[in-house]
Amino acid sequence: MTQLPDSTQRKLGLVIDLDTCVGCHACVVSCKGWNTENYGAPLSDQDPYGADPSGTFLNRVHSYEVQPLATSAMPHPAAQLIHFPKSCLHCEDAPCVTVCPTGASYKRVEDGIVLVNESDCIGCGLCAWACPYGARELDQAEGVMKKCTLCVDRIYNENLPEEDREPACVRTCPAGARHFGDFSDPDSAVSQLVAERGGMDLMPEQGTKPVNKYLPPRPKDGWQGETDVLAPYLEPVAEEPQGFLGWLDKTLEKL
Amino acid sequence: MHPAPSIIAFTTLSGLGLGLLFWLGLDPTAPTGWVGFAFFAIGYAMAVGGLSASTFHLGRPERALKAFTQWQTSWLSREAWCAVAALTVMGIYAFFLVFFSVQIAPLGWLGAVLCLLTVYTTSMIYAQLKTVPRWHHWSTSALFLALALAGGALLSGRVTIAMVLLLIAGGLQAWWWQTGDKRLKDSGSSMESATGLGSIGAVRAFEPPHTGNNYLLREMVHVVGRKHSQKLRLIALGLMMVLPVLLLLLPFGHVWALVAVLAHVAGVAVARWLFFAEAEHVVGLYYGKR
């Protein structure tokens, strides 16, 4: 049914730490690897080795340059590079679910995961249009909508060792930038992370109430007052050129 | 948004066809016999042709019937129901008119209302989308309805009504373009809100997540052809409104009427192409594109 549940028993989702992500795309690869051979249709590629390759991915990593505003303390702040993984946010008010004409899209009452029942999907694409985050991609080979399942076939999978019962992207992240847990429990690790680090919603003005949260990058460390004892030895020996170069400099100035 | 030919054909033709059927349903002296057959055949050809064209863009058209199940939340599902109801009721009404010269007026009124409801549900598929600020406005529905009514009046040969409605629809179209141009900015969505990084400073897309194309860019971030949008707007308005009105001012002739209809259909098709090609989906912000 495409009616959203009034509430869900749990709110499973991800915390993505923009301060920690190094932009290695390992989560993209592990997501594609797991999900192409498990739940639902494979994630197909079109023309993968040709001139115009494209394919279905459930998780993609953008990179942004952010230019901080100049302050009196920092008249010329350096731009920051922020890597930005993006997948389904499993929104509480998921617009992708209600627009679905067939009931293929649904939000689970037991854990809040948004899923697509692929045997009901007609591939109209309206859910992808309704999603502000670009979290849904229509698989060109299968003609059905694909999206992040929060690795529903891992997190409850008793055939896997316990440490593997989390989404593939979280399991693989070498930087520890992705965390999986239950947001309905205020004491859970993810809830505490969000509370401590000011976890934020993407595009809150869209009113989707995303479950996944993003931790903003922390201010960069400065060097004031903590210079290494060896630093004075690394100071430039001569600010002004001397000897032959000094003569050349002066001569060229006079020309 | 990607201007898929099947969707442009669908919304253009079904809107005009349903508009024609609306006027036939309301007409106190509706045409009967062969004349009636011709009018209803044109209306059905456009409405059904348009609706069936819409199935061409489905990834799994063989499951299209499942689209009737979620009418409680989905405008696409509601559209399916309204279209079937409108075409069924108008079919019965037409059957008695054409073959028995019997007009069951209440059935025609009901069919007329259902025809307009179908156009409204079509418009709501687009107007409901918060993700496309240009569409997310009541005037999108008003525009679809006005164009269906004006085109229907033109097709059914109502000269005076058609002229008035064409001017209204053309004016609405111009105003919709004018106000639509700033709706993305007014929506509050920006690269800063999309990434949540606005508190640090201005955000620029540094490196895309993929060097090649993908479904999102093809479907939602279509920017080809926008550079001629102002010219295309004038062409669309000229064809859909100015030319038909001028031709209707001439003494009535079937050839001129046909030219007026063809010009109007072409104009609406151009406007519908722009409707999609110019629409900016907020997901483009993640790519630093509009």
Side-chain angles (χ1 to χ4, degrees):
Chain A
M1 269 310 266
T2 54
Q3 272 164 312
L4 288 166
D6 291 331
S7 64
T8 56
Q9 287 154 17
R10 295 199 292 162
K11 289 202 272 177
L12 296 186
L14 303 177
V15 167
I16 294 170
D17 190 343
L18 297 179
D19 196 51
T20 313
C21 176
V22 296
C24 70
H25 292 240
C27 54
V28 178
V29 177
S30 68
C31 167
K32 177 108 172 177
W34 177 266
N35 285 295
T36 202
E37 52 190 32
N38 288 284
Y39 180 97
L43 302 171
S44 71
D45 291 317
Q46 280 68 44
D47 196 18
Y49 304 106
D52 185 24
S54 71
T56 312
F57 286 79
L58 312 182
N59 177 37
R60 296 184 184 264
V61 180
H62 295 252
S63 295
Y64 297 105
E65 180 196 80
V66 185
Q67 179 61 58
L69 288 173
T71 58
S72 50
M74 284 271 257
H76 302 292
Q80 291 184 33
L81 185 60
I82 290 150
H83 303 291
F84 193 96
K86 186 162 62 59
S87 52
C88 173
L89 308 175
H90 298 280
C91 301
E92 283 180 59
D93 240 335
C96 55
V97 170
T98 50
V99 298
C100 176
T102 68
S105 281
Y106 60 105
K107 185 170 175 70
R108 289 165 38 125
V109 179
E110 60 268 39
D111 51 20
I113 299 178
V114 176
L115 284 180
V116 176
N117 176 358
E118 290 174 11
S119 59
D120 275 353
C121 176
I122 58 173
C124 69
L126 194 53
C127 56
W129 286 16
C131 172
Y133 308 110
R136 289 172 169 249
E137 299 188 16
L138 190 76
D139 189 85
Q140 299 302 300
E142 199 67 18
V144 297
M145 198 54 73
K146 301 295 294 185
K147 70 176 292 300
C148 161
T149 67
L150 212 59
C151 282
V152 69
D153 45 3
R154 286 175 68 95
I155 58 178
Y156 299 115
N157 192 337
E158 290 177 2
N159 295 319
L160 294 177
E162 188 142 1
E163 65 268 29
D164 284 338
R165 291 180 208 162
E166 57 182 12
C169 56
V170 177
R171 185 76 182 99
T172 207
C173 179
R178 306 179 70 109
H179 308 269
F180 164 70
D182 179 9
F183 290 84
S184 68
D185 173 8
D187 296 325
S188 68
V190 285
S191 295
Q192 289 179 6
L193 260 178
V194 169
E196 274 171 36
R197 296 273 309 279
M200 60 187 180
D201 290 348
L202 303 186
M203 284 200 212
E205 72 279 1
Q206 285 275 332
T208 52
K209 292 197 257 167
V211 169
N212 283 14
K213 301 284 185 234
Y214 282 74
L215 305 181
R218 288 176 277 204
K220 292 291 175 214
D221 294 340
W223 291 105
Q224 289 83 356
E226 37 178 297
T227 321
D228 193 272
V229 287
L230 292 173
Y233 297 102
L234 296 172
E235 290 285 319
V237 178
E239 297 283 355
E240 294 291 319
Q242 288 173 346
F244 173 70
L245 279 179
W247 170 81
L248 191 64
D249 184 44
K250 275 180 216 148
T251 314
L252 288 171
E253 290 277 344
K254 282 177 194 159
L255 284 177
Chain B
M1 307 297 288
H2 171 63
S6 59
I7 299 284
I8 293 169
F10 150 55
T11 58
T12 306
L13 294 178
S14 69
L16 287 167
L18 291 164
L20 171 58
L21 292 176
F22 166 83
W23 289 109
L24 294 174
L26 279 196
D27 194 342
T29 53
T32 56
W34 281 111
V35 180
F37 181 81
F39 271 114
F40 280 105
I42 293 169
Y44 268 84
M46 293 181 110
V48 176
L51 288 168
S52 55
S54 72
T55 59
F56 293 150
H57 85 288
L58 298 180
R60 289 284 187 159
E62 75 275 15
R63 299 177 186 153
L65 281 180
K66 288 183 192 261
F68 284 94
T69 59
Q70 302 302 313
W71 53 272
Q72 288 182 69
T73 65
S74 171
W75 281 105
L76 185 49
S77 193
R78 288 171 196 163
E79 182 202 36
W81 276 108
C82 282
V84 167
L87 293 176
T88 308
V89 170
M90 286 309 282
I92 299 167
Y93 172 72
F95 179 77
F96 281 99
L97 266 179
V98 170
F99 295 105
F100 301 103
S101 296
V102 174
Q103 184 169 20
I104 310 170
L107 207 57
W109 302 335
L110 176 65
V113 171
L114 287 170
C115 285
L116 281 195
L117 260 182
T118 309
V119 175
Y120 177 70
T121 51
T122 304
S123 74
M124 281 307 290
I125 292 173
Y126 307 106
Q128 69 173 335
L129 294 173
K130 249 186 173 175
T131 49
V132 186
R134 190 185 285 273
W135 294 347
H136 187 58
H137 198 255
W138 61 266
S139 58
T140 300
S141 297
L143 179 62
F144 272 59
L145 286 169
L147 283 172
L149 287 173
L154 183 63
L155 280 167
S156 66
R158 287 169 167 68
V159 176
T160 321
I161 297 175
M163 278 199 289
V164 173
L165 286 175
L166 282 171
L167 289 172
I168 292 174
L172 195 57
Q173 175 73 76
W175 181 75
W176 187 85
W177 277 326
Q178 191 80 35
T179 50
D181 284 344
K182 53 182 197 296
R183 219 164 273 145
L184 174 66
K185 205 159 166 274
D186 292 348
S187 74
S189 290
S190 60
M191 282 188 80
E192 283 71 24
S193 79
T195 59
L197 299 172
S199 56
I200 306 175
V203 181
R204 186 172 80 91
F206 182 77
E207 202 172 41
H210 42 95
T211 49
N213 214 340
N214 78 340
Y215 170 74
L216 297 174
L217 291 175
R218 282 191 299 266
E219 186 78 4
M220 259 76 88
V221 199
H222 179 94
V223 291
V224 184
R226 278 194 201 157
K227 77 175 174 178
H228 295 303
S229 71
Q230 295 302 326
K231 278 181 211 163
L232 284 170
R233 285 179 182 184
L234 287 177
I235 291 171
L237 266 189
L239 286 172
M240 81 160 77
M241 177 182 78
V242 180
L243 192 58
V245 168
L246 289 178
L247 289 170
L248 289 179
L249 285 172
L250 297 174
F252 184 80
H254 275 103
V255 178
W256 294 129
L258 181 68
V259 175
V261 166
L262 291 178
H264 179 74
V265 175
V268 174
V270 173
R272 230 13 91 71
W273 187 86
L274 280 170
F275 179 81
F276 291 99
E278 282 195 292
E280 307 95 338
H281 192 289
V282 292
V283 78
L285 296 169
Y286 284 104
Y287 288 90
K289 294 177 178 174
R290 293 187 46 182

